[in-house]
């Protein structure tokens, strides 16, 4: 009995070299051992394990996207009011601090526009390992309306999110005419 096990190990090593050369060779190699004793059938599941390992790398590739734990949402604001857009990123699996970029339209980077009407903030919570990025628009103007985009990246990981801002005109107080207070009677 110990000798058939040794023979089963020897053919298992030869097909192991085969998958490195091509993936077609391991399939014909298990067919002849299937007719052999049960000791070689245990070698066939060993050949089934490498394809299962090959199935895992696509799962890791899917993990490369989806950095946001909370994405900025489309918002509405009235002229002269403030609005804040929030993006959160879980840094537990990241090796380096993520960088974030805010865009208006397709290409206008808002980092250079921060000042009186636009502020960009970032905070980090050490307990939850979550970065919170905020874009605050103050005293909104009608030309602030439009499409915005938030991009976050950390080394080889990248994610982006699109959102819109709608700016409504300020409502004028109807029925009140200031000139009426100064008219002579």
């Amino acid at each position: 009995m110990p000798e058939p096990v040794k023979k089963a190990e020897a053919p298992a090593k030869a097909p192991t070299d085969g998958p490195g050369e091509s993936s077609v060779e391991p399939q014909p190699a298990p067919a002849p051992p299937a007719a052999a004793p049960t000791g070689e059938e245990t070698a066939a599941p060993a050949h089934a394990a490498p394809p299962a390992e090959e199935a895992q790398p696509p799962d890791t590739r899917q993990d490369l996207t989806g950095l946001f734990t909370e994405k900025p949402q489309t918002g509405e604001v009235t002229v002269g009011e403030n609005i804040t857009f929030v993006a959160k990123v879980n840094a537990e699996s990241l090796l380096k601090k993520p960088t974030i970029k805010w865009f208006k339209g397709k290409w206008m980077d808002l980092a250079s526009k921060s000042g009186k009407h636009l502020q960009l903030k970032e905070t980090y919570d050490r307990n939850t390992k979550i970065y919170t990025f905020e874009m605050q628009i103050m005293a909104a103007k009608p030309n602030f309306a439009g499409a915005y985009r938030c991009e976050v990246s950390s080394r080889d990981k990248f994610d982006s999110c699109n959102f819109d801002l709608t700016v409504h005109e300020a409502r004028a107080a109807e029925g009140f005419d200031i000139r009426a207070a100064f008219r002579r009677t």
Side-chain angles (χ1 to χ4, degrees):
M1 288 282 255
E3 293 178 14
V5 174
K6 290 180 183 176
K7 290 180 182 176
E9 290 174 8
K13 290 179 183 175
T16 306
D17 295 336
E21 296 170 4
S22 71
S23 60
V24 180
E25 290 180 4
Q27 293 173 352
T38 58
E40 289 180 320
E41 286 179 14
T42 51
H47 296 295
E53 291 174 5
E54 292 173 4
Q56 290 175 357
D59 294 338
T60 3
R61 291 180 192 148
Q62 290 174 357
D63 292 339
L64 295 178
T65 59
L67 291 173
F68 288 111
T69 55
E70 181 181 326
K71 295 181 178 184
Q73 300 296 317
T74 296
E76 297 182 1
V77 68
T78 306
V79 172
E81 293 181 356
N82 302 343
I83 187 168
T84 302
F85 295 99
V86 178
K88 293 187 178 184
V89 176
N90 188 350
E92 192 171 339
S93 64
L94 302 178
L95 300 174
K96 184 181 171 187
K97 175 188 168 199
T99 57
I100 191 159
K101 291 185 180 181
W102 298 91
F103 295 97
K104 181 172 191 269
K106 289 186 178 183
W107 308 111
M108 186 168 61
D109 189 358
L110 295 175
S112 63
K113 305 290 182 188
S114 63
K116 183 178 177 183
H117 293 286
L118 178 72
Q119 289 190 358
L120 304 175
K121 298 178 184 178
E122 61 182 59
T123 57
Y124 178 65
D125 185 0
R126 292 183 184 190
N127 297 330
T128 59
K129 295 184 180 178
I130 292 182
Y131 283 94
T132 303
F133 300 98
E134 295 180 0
M135 178 179 70
Q136 184 176 13
I137 297 174
M138 296 165 294
K141 295 181 179 180
N143 64 338
F144 291 178
Y148 288 81
R149 185 174 76 246
C150 176
E151 293 182 353
V152 67
S153 61
S154 177
R155 294 201 182 203
D156 59 342
K157 298 181 181 187
F158 176 83
D159 199 2
S160 72
C161 174
N162 296 319
F163 58 98
D164 296 316
L165 174 63
T166 305
V167 180
H168 299 289
E169 289 293 327
R171 295 186 185 116
E174 294 180 25
F176 178 72
D177 185 7
I178 190 135
R179 294 177 294 171
F182 296 103
R183 285 193 188 143
R184 293 184 191 180
T185 54

